[in-house]
Amino acid sequence: EFEGEIPVLEIPTDYPRPMSQSFEGDSTGFEISGEETRALNAVALQGGATLFMALAAAVNILLSKLSGQEEIIIGTPIAGRRHSDLEKIIGMFVNTLALRNYPIGIRTFKEFLADLKDRVLMAFENQEYPFEGLVDKLSLKRDMGRNPLFDVMFVLQNMNTVSADPDEKKPGLQK
């Protein structure tokens, strides 16, 4: 998946990129209403995908439009607890997956979602391969101002929000 040249995401920025990583990046949080969540779930279901996959497809397309690139790598955390015997063990099992996708402009969203779904499922099958091991094996030319493989991390936190009324739960997404 990561043979050959690794694309570097070139998004227009307000400020020059620092010479070395400062980890002063930012995150953008937002909430999606229950109605919007149901609509997004319907789009995902039509494509035989999950909500995570549909939103990751949208993020890839956005990054492609901003950068003018048709090859995007994003990172995403994975719980690392594939086996039921690990569920009750205390400890950190989180790994990072790098997802390489091709949001080519002539494809429909449905076509891109189908491709991204296959790539995500393949990445999940290899989730136990340590991210650091992948970076070492690739022998990448290092730029101290960037992460070695991707510059954008996509995290979906799917949770129910609670209203002021303790008996009312509102379905929705919150990032």
Side-chain angles (χ1 to χ4, degrees):
E1 186 68 23
F2 291 98
E3 286 182 338
E5 188 175 336
I6 301 296
V8 175
L9 187 61
E10 296 294 348
I11 297 177
T13 60
D14 294 340
Y15 304 98
R17 180 174 290 280
M19 296 299 285
S20 62
Q21 283 183 314
S22 65
F23 301 100
E24 291 182 23
D26 203 355
S27 64
T28 301
F30 58 91
E31 293 182 25
I32 300 174
S33 72
E35 182 179 327
E36 292 166 328
T37 301
R38 284 186 287 282
L40 286 166
N41 275 317
V43 168
L45 187 60
Q46 286 173 353
T50 64
L51 182 60
F52 170 84
M53 293 170 187
L55 292 172
V59 167
N60 273 270
I61 291 169
L62 174 64
L63 294 173
S64 177
K65 298 291 184 190
L66 291 172
S67 67
Q69 296 171 241
E70 293 185 329
E71 186 176 1
I72 306 288
I73 299 175
I74 61 171
T76 192
I78 188 109
R81 294 179 182 260
R82 277 178 71 160
H83 306 289
S84 60
D85 54 332
L86 296 176
E87 289 177 9
K88 295 182 181 185
I89 296 177
I90 296 174
M92 189 72 161
F93 291 89
V94 175
N95 192 18
T96 301
L97 291 180
L99 304 172
R100 189 175 198 169
N101 292 294
Y102 302 88
I104 298 168
I106 61 171
R107 296 162 76 183
T108 66
F109 181 81
K110 188 175 181 178
E111 292 168 337
F112 177 59
L113 178 58
D115 182 52
L116 180 133
K117 174 187 165 187
D118 292 341
R119 292 175 176 284
V120 167
L121 291 175
M122 182 176 61
F124 284 1
E125 284 300 314
N126 295 292
Q127 67 180 283
E128 293 169 354
Y129 194 90
F131 177 73
E132 294 80 13
L134 175 63
V135 170
D136 289 344
K137 189 172 186 173
L138 291 174
S139 301
L140 300 169
K141 180 182 173 197
R142 298 300 299 262
D143 176 345
M144 297 312 293
R146 292 182 177 274
N147 182 293
L149 202 49
F150 56 82
D151 288 311
V152 173
M153 185 78 138
F154 174 69
V155 180
L156 172 63
Q157 294 177 338
N158 191 354
M159 58 185 79
N160 288 323
T161 57
V162 180
S163 73
D165 178 358
D167 296 327
E168 179 188 357
K169 281 188 132 181
K170 296 180 181 177
L173 296 178
Q174 185 178 23
K175 185 320 190 169

